Amino acid sequence: MAKRSDPLNPDPTFLGFWRERHLCTLTTLRPDGTPHVVPVGVTYDPEAGLARVIANKSSAKVLHVLAGSGTEEGGARVAVCQVDGRRWATLEGLAVVRTEPDRVAEAVRRYAERYERMPAPNPDRVAIEIALTRATGNGSPS
């Protein structure tokens, strides 16, 4: 059964699941409102209230976030999700694209920590930062 969590103060099971190494998905909305779902690496920072995704600035996910940022105050509505058997967790929030070198570097650092590998250098890299508004999931392996 799905359980709602406070994304800024998650319970230990939910946070522990997000500390494990898992491939995730990012769901953005196309201009026509249909969902666009792609595999990504996600890092979760409850202390800052953020989830982060690194991406190429010309990718569809980045273009969708940029287009959606103008329709909703605070950013574009998105969701990130990870699944492992019967365990799953979703973080939702408002996404913005960050190009500032320090913000991108922080996203890369966190990605390297979670996924235990440094991504190849990319001068076109940006960070999608998601200000978290909701967390749901089932982190128990029952």
Side-chain angles (χ1 to χ4, degrees):
M1 174 183 263
K3 179 180 167 191
R4 198 156 175 192
S5 296
D6 177 353
L8 309 182
N9 188 23
D11 68 56
T13 301
F14 189 84
L15 182 59
F17 185 41
W18 277 101
R19 297 289 187 245
E20 296 173 14
R21 185 174 186 247
H22 294 287
L23 184 62
C24 304
T25 60
L26 168 68
T27 302
T28 58
L29 297 176
R30 295 180 182 100
D32 68 1
T34 59
H36 176 257
V37 183
V38 293
V40 294
V42 175
T43 61
Y44 176 30
D45 180 1
E47 295 81 20
L50 296 173
R52 295 176 179 91
V53 175
I54 57 176
N56 191 296
K57 69 181 180 184
S58 63
S59 67
K61 60 185 155 281
V62 168
L63 298 176
H64 295 155
V65 169
L66 291 171
S69 293
T71 62
E72 181 110 25
E73 187 170 329
R77 291 210 169 272
V78 303
V80 290
C81 183
Q82 67 180 19
V83 177
D84 180 38
R86 299 180 114 194
R87 296 185 306 156
W88 62 275
T90 299
L91 298 168
E92 298 176 37
L94 297 170
V96 295
V97 176
R98 297 290 188 182
T99 59
E100 304 92 332
D102 61 324
R103 302 299 277 260
V104 175
E106 179 64 8
V108 169
R109 182 190 71 75
R110 288 175 178 274
Y111 176 95
E113 183 179 284
R114 181 175 190 203
Y115 292 97
E116 301 174 343
R117 70 173 194 84
M118 182 61 75
N122 179 354
D124 292 331
R125 180 172 288 130
V126 297
I128 298 172
E129 287 186 352
I130 305 162
L132 300 172
T133 58
R134 181 179 299 184
T136 56
N138 175 11
S140 301
S142 58

